[in-house]
Amino acid sequence: MVTAGLTGKINGAMLLARTLRASGAGPIFTLSGHQILPIYDAGIDEQLRFIDTRHENAAVHMADGWARLTGQCGVALVTAAPGFTNALTGVATAWMSESPVLLLSGGVETTNLGRGGFQEMDQLAMIRPIVKGAWMPRTAEEIPALVARAMRVALSGVPGPVHITLPYDVLHQSVDADAVRMPGAEQFGPLLQSALYSQFGQLESLLTLAERPTLIAGPSITRGQTGAGLRELSELTGLGVVVIDSPVGLAEPSLHGLGRALAESDLVILAARGDFAINFLDEQTVRSGTKIVQIAPDAGSIGQSRAVDLGIVADMPTILGHLAEFARLVTQTKEYPRRSAGWRAELDRRRAARQERTRALEVSDAVPVHPMRVTATVRDLLAPGDCVALDGGDFVRWARWTFGGGPWELLTNGKLGALGPGLPLAMAATLARPGAKSVAFVGDGTFGFHAMEFDTAVRHNLPLVAIVGNDAGWATERHRQREVYGPDRLVAADLLPTRYDRVAADLGAHGEHVERPEQLRPALERAFASGKPACINVQIASLRAPSAG
């Protein structure tokens, strides 16, 4: 810890702003409110950048997107009570997506706690089930260390969101500046946790002997340097990788059927939650007799769904780094038998074969436009490293099929499956990766969740391109109702064929309307060339998404 380096008095809001600057935090995604105005004022002096949104949920989604792409802790700032509750779905999405987000919110004065103060709520109790930690300082002096602790918790182990409620009187409370100790830069970062040396040896032996090893990956370990380490390990050893980042889990279209490979594997390394998304690791998913290794940062989750042969309490960056070093060494010395070398190649072949089944749809001339004609046309205009935000719904499942396994930065709505994150995630991508294209695939139903964020994008010059698949309805539910209950029993399934491009254009964005397949590419090229936020409204056929089975 270091002293604040100031003399005189300093209040809680100033300490918070100074701490956020010291942490190296990126933009603060926010929506204004009475209880957080002192933070804005202090942020001006500390040169913090505020990106103000039209809904608190969008602010959290943007912080989430920033976190996923940069590896930093994203920061969202909202006011108390209704502002706080509006943000909770965004927090839950970050929780299920293993994304490190710090939600800061205003709060009732400490002097009025329990007395029914203005907008008093037990915010800590409300949010605790969906965060790694939640705190409330009682004095201004506590704020710097508490923010550093929160960011450290968010980034350590399996990343995830954290929360701090900031009482209004604590933000105004003045203290002697020279009595406040500020955290050093190293105190904001993650704490790494290593495994026992003997466990490394056991894992190396299992991996060396396996012929069909597969790793089940949670979303966080596919990102940044950890993701690069995972890809290197897969290339060196032939390790298959199945990423779980969807509410449909192993049936996710972007996996192209790879979920079935678990039943054929002779070694399964579980580096994800053993939850519903992998059928709680039952014996239909992973057969009896298969060796199972589970890696987690806490002992409590080891073997929670099924007994394992080896449990390792450690963080994934440490494990992957060690395994990659081992694989490089034994490969160079030609001691590694590479029994599994063909397994990854076989999985790649299967994935390619399944994608080939839908290749003809990519050039379909059907009217209304086939969804895969849309997704393939966008794909052909993107380069490796460009950002693709994928929301929910049947139209977006076609996009997941098209973009799964490719060289793009994918930002999904995660295992929670909430609709709405797509537009804010794509907007955050324009900030985190300013040299890359950023596109969002959303259905016409989903567009309604955060349509007004086009105002945010215009005001802050965030040039995403949103592709709206417009089939005038909630297609996923409409298909299901028709199949299960009958075509004459549809309820709450239809929408108007609204011109969403005009909605965006009236907010200052670039708008395009597409009715025929040959109009797609020129419309996309104009949208990208505009340099503005853009909305392309495409009249699509309402079709069931491809099956991953």
Side-chain angles (χ1 to χ4, degrees):
M1 302 283 279
V2 295
T3 58
L6 295 173
T7 57
K9 296 288 187 178
I10 186 170
N11 68 25
M14 295 167 65
L15 283 171
L16 175 65
R18 180 154 298 209
T19 304
L20 291 174
R21 188 188 68 175
S23 75
I28 312 302
F29 302 98
T30 188
L31 196 152
S32 184
H34 167 69
Q35 290 96 335
I36 59 175
L37 293 183
I39 302 171
Y40 292 159
D41 187 65
I44 294 172
D45 294 331
E46 295 299 329
Q47 298 181 326
L48 299 181
R49 183 181 183 185
F50 294 102
I51 302 292
D52 57 309
T53 63
R54 296 297 298 268
H55 195 283
E56 289 89 353
N57 204 29
V60 180
H61 288 321
M62 291 186 74
D64 179 0
W66 172 271
R68 296 192 213 180
L69 289 171
T70 65
Q72 297 178 338
C73 187
V75 181
L77 172 64
V78 303
T79 195
F84 170 84
T85 57
N86 280 346
L88 290 181
T89 298
V91 175
T93 296
W95 170 255
M96 296 296 282
S97 300
E98 300 178 0
S99 184
V101 170
L102 169 59
L103 174 66
L104 300 169
S105 76
V108 69
E109 301 90 344
T110 57
T111 54
N112 287 326
L113 286 172
R115 301 177 62 201
F118 173 63
Q119 294 189 335
E120 180 180 3
M121 288 183 173
D122 190 348
Q123 296 180 172
L124 302 188
M126 293 173 71
I127 203 171
R128 278 195 176 109
I130 54 172
V131 292
K132 297 180 69 178
W135 307 272
M136 181 178 70
R138 296 298 184 118
T139 65
E141 294 100 321
E142 296 175 56
I143 290 176
L146 193 54
V147 170
R149 178 186 177 190
M151 288 187 170
R152 185 173 65 245
V153 170
L155 291 163
S156 298
V158 176
V162 292
H163 168 68
I164 299 176
T165 283
L166 297 158
Y168 192 62
D169 56 337
V170 172
L171 292 176
H172 283 280
Q173 184 183 88
S174 292
V175 297
D176 290 328
D178 56 7
V180 178
R181 298 184 65 79
M182 297 292 289
E186 73 285 351
Q187 292 177 279
F188 294 96
L191 294 177
L192 298 180
Q193 187 174 16
S194 185
L196 298 174
Y197 184 79
S198 60
Q199 291 180 316
F200 281 125
Q202 290 176 271
L203 181 54
E204 290 163 3
S205 296
L206 288 169
L207 188 57
T208 301
L209 293 172
E211 296 182 359
R212 298 178 304 281
T214 305
L215 184 142
I216 306 174
S220 61
I221 69 171
T222 65
R223 303 172 191 144
Q225 290 301 311
T226 307
L230 179 59
R231 289 187 292 274
E232 181 186 17
L233 180 64
S234 177
E235 291 167 3
L236 288 170
T237 65
L239 177 71
V241 177
V242 175
V243 181
I244 304 299
D245 189 18
S246 164
V248 295
L250 297 174
E252 162 60 32
S254 65
L255 293 177
H256 308 110
L258 292 191
R260 287 196 265 174
L262 294 177
E264 302 174 49
S265 300
D266 55 359
L267 171 65
V268 169
I269 302 173
L270 178 60
R273 294 183 178 123
D275 59 12
F276 74 96
I278 57 171
N279 305 317
F280 304 101
L281 217 64
D282 62 22
E283 292 194 1
Q284 289 183 320
T285 304
V286 175
R287 66 188 178 188
S288 177
T290 300
K291 294 290 185 183
I292 300 175
V293 176
Q294 185 172 1
I295 303 168
D298 62 283
S301 59
I302 301 289
Q304 190 173 26
S305 298
R306 180 172 169 180
V308 300
D309 297 278
L310 175 62
I312 301 177
V313 178
D315 60 83
M316 282 306 298
T318 299
I319 294 288
L320 290 174
H322 181 93
L323 287 178
E325 182 180 357
F326 165 75
R328 283 192 297 268
L329 176 64
V330 295
T331 301
Q332 290 167 1
T333 59
K334 304 186 184 301
E335 295 175 7
Y336 188 59
R338 294 185 62 81
R339 287 186 177 88
S340 62
W343 179 234
R344 181 186 173 202
E346 169 62 15
L347 296 181
D348 288 344
R349 183 196 65 75
R350 293 183 192 182
R351 170 170 247 157
R354 293 186 66 80
Q355 287 182 295
E356 197 60 36
R357 289 182 359 189
T358 58
R359 199 69 69 191
L361 300 177
E362 296 182 0
V363 293
S364 169
D365 289 325
V367 177
V369 183
H370 195 288
M372 189 154 282
R373 178 68 183 265
V374 180
T375 61
T377 303
V378 176
R379 178 200 63 203
D380 293 344
L381 290 173
L382 299 184
D386 285 342
C387 300
V388 180
L390 300 169
D391 216 300
D394 262 19
F395 170 61
V396 179
R397 291 185 72 187
W398 287 97
R400 288 171 181 263
W401 179 275
T402 299
F403 288 92
W408 305 279
E409 293 280 7
L410 299 186
L411 298 163
T412 77
N413 65 338
K415 285 167 59 178
L416 184 67
L419 298 181
L423 293 176
L425 289 173
M427 292 177 192
T430 67
L431 293 164
R433 300 288 173 84
K437 290 187 177 73
S438 178
V439 302
F441 286 92
V442 298
D444 49 344
T446 300
F447 183 85
F449 279 74
H450 290 304
M452 286 303 297
E453 296 309 328
F454 267 100
D455 170 76
T456 302
V458 169
R459 286 185 292 106
H460 291 284
N461 190 28
L462 310 177
L464 84 154
V465 174
I467 298 94
V468 181
N470 192 335
D471 58 2
W474 301 95
T476 302
E477 283 68 31
R478 187 164 60 190
H479 290 315
R480 186 173 295 118
Q481 286 183 2
R482 184 178 290 116
E483 293 163 4
V484 176
Y485 305 106
D488 60 339
R489 302 188 66 80
L490 304 184
V491 178
D494 294 326
L495 297 169
L496 295 173
T498 302
R499 288 286 301 273
Y500 298 107
D501 55 307
R502 290 177 177 169
V503 174
D506 281 349
L507 292 170
H510 178 88
E512 295 275 354
H513 182 58
V514 172
E515 298 177 289
R516 303 185 59 84
E518 64 271 15
Q519 298 171 334
L520 271 168
R521 188 179 181 100
L524 283 161
E525 289 173 340
R526 288 191 295 269
F528 286 124
S530 73
K532 299 170 63 177
C535 175
I536 302 177
N537 184 68
V538 187
Q539 292 182 211
I540 61 167
S542 189
L543 301 169
R544 270 289 195 192
S547 170

